[in-house]
Amino acid sequence: MSAALASLLQNVVVIIVYVVILFGLSVKLTLLSLLLAPVLLLIIRPMINRLRGRSRELAAERGEVTSHVGEMIASAKLVRAYVAEAFELGRFQVLAERLSQARAAGAALLSLTSPVSEVFGGVMIVLILVVGTRLALARARRSTQRC
């Protein structure tokens, strides 16, 4: 608990120092960055929530398959005695198919999360560079006109 608290405190201090440095460099760019960051969270948050849901679903399916296999192994003599191999195999195939579908859906969502965040992050960087360049050019023009 104390290590987590120390890490939290350290991260808060680092963020505060970065924000102070950014405000020292350019107030407008800092405000633009601070306004764009929550937009990225609003875009990515639903995807992360769906990914967590898929992850829980996958864990439940994996537990179901593991439970069924353990049950089949423990009752192998009963399955043979009642000639229920085909029934148990069919039941296992249904569970394995559901697990496979859950895994594929989770992988598809996971593969989509990174490109979306990278594209939006790239757009944010380009926007910050454009605004920063315009601010620098305007400042250079003003200093040239004074001379």
Side-chain angles (χ1 to χ4, degrees):
M1 187 68 165
S2 63
L5 186 61
S7 176
L8 174 69
L9 185 62
Q10 180 183 9
N11 290 336
V12 168
V13 169
V14 167
I15 289 171
I16 291 170
V17 168
Y18 280 150
V19 169
V20 168
I21 290 171
L22 287 173
F23 271 114
L25 294 173
S26 172
V27 174
K28 290 180 181 179
L29 283 177
T30 302
L31 291 175
L32 178 66
S33 300
L34 292 175
L35 289 174
L36 288 177
V39 175
L40 177 62
L41 288 175
L42 291 175
I43 291 172
I44 297 298
R45 176 69 73 192
M47 295 176 77
I48 290 174
N49 288 341
R50 284 183 52 202
L51 191 59
R52 284 185 185 147
R54 294 283 183 182
S55 178
R56 281 191 289 269
E57 180 183 314
L58 182 61
E61 293 294 334
R62 193 173 28 238
E64 191 79 23
V65 169
T66 302
S67 171
H68 180 72
V69 168
E71 191 179 298
M72 281 179 28
I73 290 172
S75 61
K77 291 181 181 178
L78 287 173
V79 170
R80 280 194 211 126
Y82 287 103
V83 191
E85 290 94 349
F87 172 77
E88 290 297 330
L89 182 61
R91 196 169 139 208
F92 175 76
Q93 286 175 338
V94 167
L95 291 173
E97 181 63 30
R98 282 192 351 220
L99 175 63
S100 176
Q101 289 172 352
R103 191 174 279 167
L109 189 59
L110 181 62
S111 67
L112 185 66
T113 304
S114 180
V116 168
S117 65
E118 288 175 11
V119 166
F120 188 76
V123 169
M124 283 178 46
I125 289 170
V126 168
L127 184 61
I128 289 170
L129 286 174
V130 167
V131 171
T133 303
R134 287 186 181 190
L135 290 173
L137 289 174
R139 192 177 296 162
R141 281 187 204 133
R142 275 186 259 136
S143 67
T144 306
Q145 290 174 353
R146 287 182 192 161
C147 295

